[in-house]
Amino acid sequence: MERLSSKTVYEGRIAKVRLEEFRYDDGSVHEREVVGHPGAVAIVAHDGESVYMVRQPREPVNEPDLLEVPAGKLDVEGESRLECAQRELAEEIGRAAAEWRELKRLYPSPGILEEEVTLFLATDLSDAEAEPDDDERLEVVPYPLDRIDDAIDECRDAKSLVGLMLLREELRAGA
Amino acid sequence: MERLSSKTVYEGRIAKVRLEEFRYDDGSVHEREVVGHPGAVAIVAHDGESVYMVRQPREPVNEPDLLEVPAGKLDVEGESRLECAQRELAEEIGRAAAEWRELKRLYPSPGILEEEVTLFLATDLSDAEAEPDDDERLEVVPYPLDRIDDAIDECRDAKSLVGLMLLREELRAGA
């Protein structure tokens, strides 16, 4: 599969749409619409007692307080995935982590959206040096690890579900 | 949270972008970009031996043969989620299922994309009445259930990962 051409047909503040032409191994050529995305990170952070989640409004799916793990877009030039994850963890829940491990890279909606999410496990938590961002619409939710099954039942965000289920496997293996 | 207005600013073949204004509980009003989506279904189908997956090119993430469960958009007027899932299972892997159960509804990328995916578990499989669609770029992959850990390791598609991990829980509970 080879990308032959790419043309931006819409460019908003965040959303960008491209029309791209691809040639496949059988020689055929087809045009595809692609919604551009810089990629994102998401962080499964726990201190042995709780996994730290957030609730926030998610307008595209009309949810006023969707439960998710901390996450953010790779939108700072030159910042690595890990640095972005460290910044987001501090901004969203006011924590730093001494231990970081990559759990998974996943595509949220690979038929239309360029986004790739890198999921990190963050442990050995402490208070971050800087204050968290003052976002009145983001609520920090420490979810007790012994209720992780409830968190998985309640959660409807794909990256968070994958992260919580991978964490559950880790907890079982370590128990 | 209340949607005050919605304006389509780009409309392609599949991708649509809207600018929407929301009023929050604190009274503030903000504009958000939303990539429209009709919703989708995804099917975790197994016969006790294998879970039936597919490989196909996913241009937006530049993957020539991404491993996923069968899935499709809710793009037929008047068709229910279950009917759509039954049609997709027949079209993509040539199977029908006597038992259907909804596993989960999830949002692949709720910060930008309107898409909601309904995940179904399909069992008691038989050959579908109609032939599967002739799509040279889609390969059916029967993945042995006793290698479901490998499938989860390899899989990078969010909805499929959630489906496979939920199936693994079912298999463990039933074992």
Side-chain angles (χ1 to χ4, degrees):
Chain A
M1 185 176 88
E2 183 191 3
R3 185 189 288 116
L4 300 177
S5 69
S6 177
K7 182 176 66 169
T8 297
V9 289
Y10 175 77
E11 184 157 5
R13 217 172 29 229
I14 299 172
K16 290 174 183 57
V17 182
R18 306 191 298 261
L19 273 181
E20 303 193 330
E21 251 186 354
F22 290 84
R23 183 191 289 129
Y24 299 90
D25 293 347
D26 62 2
S28 66
V29 172
H30 295 274
E31 199 175 60
R32 293 281 180 263
E33 280 179 327
V34 175
V35 176
H37 196 287
V41 297
I43 307 110
V44 180
H46 79 86
D47 59 8
E49 297 282 324
S50 299
V51 53
Y52 289 85
M53 302 188 67
V54 296
R55 287 185 199 281
Q56 62 190 313
R58 288 304 202 178
E59 299 82 3
V61 295
N62 206 26
E63 293 278 356
D65 56 354
L66 193 68
L67 182 70
E68 299 177 49
V69 299
K73 283 194 292 294
L74 291 168
D75 52 9
V76 174
E77 183 76 28
E79 193 178 56
S80 71
R81 292 159 197 254
L82 177 58
E83 288 162 349
C84 180
Q86 291 170 331
R87 176 174 55 79
E88 290 289 346
L89 193 66
E91 287 178 2
E92 294 203 346
I93 68 161
R95 298 295 169 100
E99 293 288 334
W100 288 86
R101 180 152 55 87
E102 193 177 312
L103 283 176
K104 191 83 182 170
R105 295 191 186 192
L106 56 90
Y107 303 119
S109 191
I112 183 73
L113 183 65
E114 187 184 20
E115 180 177 15
E116 178 189 57
V117 176
T118 303
L119 260 175
F120 287 97
L121 179 69
T123 52
D124 201 349
L125 304 184
S126 57
D127 288 344
E129 286 180 24
E131 288 289 301
D133 273 13
D134 186 25
D135 182 344
E136 289 180 3
R137 289 186 289 279
L138 185 140
E139 177 198 359
V140 179
V141 180
Y143 218 113
L145 288 178
D146 60 12
R147 290 183 51 224
I148 193 166
D149 290 352
D150 296 334
I152 292 167
D153 282 347
E154 183 189 345
C155 183
R156 299 185 60 196
D157 171 55
K159 65 183 175 302
S160 303
L161 273 166
V162 173
L164 289 171
M165 287 197 279
L166 290 174
L167 172 59
R168 184 166 64 181
E169 293 296 314
E170 300 259 337
L171 295 173
R172 286 171 177 165
Chain B
M1 186 176 88
E2 183 192 3
R3 186 189 287 114
L4 300 177
S5 69
S6 178
K7 182 175 66 171
T8 297
V9 289
Y10 176 76
E11 184 157 4
R13 218 172 30 228
I14 298 171
K16 290 174 183 55
V17 182
R18 306 192 298 262
L19 273 181
E20 303 193 332
E21 251 186 353
F22 291 84
R23 182 190 291 129
Y24 299 89
D25 293 347
D26 62 2
S28 67
V29 172
H30 293 275
E31 197 175 63
R32 293 282 179 263
E33 279 179 326
V34 175
V35 175
H37 197 286
V41 297
I43 307 111
V44 180
H46 78 87
D47 60 7
E49 297 282 324
S50 299
V51 53
Y52 287 85
M53 303 189 66
V54 296
R55 286 186 199 280
Q56 62 190 312
R58 288 304 201 177
E59 299 82 1
V61 294
N62 206 24
E63 293 279 356
D65 56 353
L66 194 67
L67 182 70
E68 300 177 49
V69 299
K73 282 193 292 294
L74 291 168
D75 53 7
V76 173
E77 182 77 27
E79 193 177 57
S80 71
R81 292 160 197 254
L82 177 58
E83 288 163 348
C84 180
Q86 291 170 331
R87 176 173 56 78
E88 290 290 346
L89 193 67
E91 286 178 4
E92 294 203 346
I93 68 161
R95 298 295 169 100
E99 294 288 332
W100 288 85
R101 179 154 56 86
E102 194 177 310
L103 283 177
K104 191 83 181 170
R105 294 191 187 191
L106 56 90
Y107 303 120
S109 191
I112 183 72
L113 184 63
E114 187 184 20
E115 181 177 14
E116 179 189 57
V117 176
T118 303
L119 261 175
F120 287 97
L121 179 69
T123 52
D124 200 349
L125 304 183
S126 57
D127 288 343
E129 286 181 24
E131 288 290 302
D133 273 12
D134 186 26
D135 182 345
E136 287 180 4
R137 288 186 290 277
L138 185 140
E139 177 198 357
V140 179
V141 180
Y143 219 113
L145 288 179
D146 59 12
R147 289 184 51 224
I148 193 165
D149 290 352
D150 296 332
I152 292 167
D153 282 347
E154 183 189 345
C155 184
R156 298 186 61 195
D157 171 55
K159 64 183 178 301
S160 304
L161 273 167
V162 174
L164 289 171
M165 287 197 279
L166 290 174
L167 172 60
R168 184 166 64 180
E169 293 296 314
E170 301 258 337
L171 295 172
R172 287 171 176 166

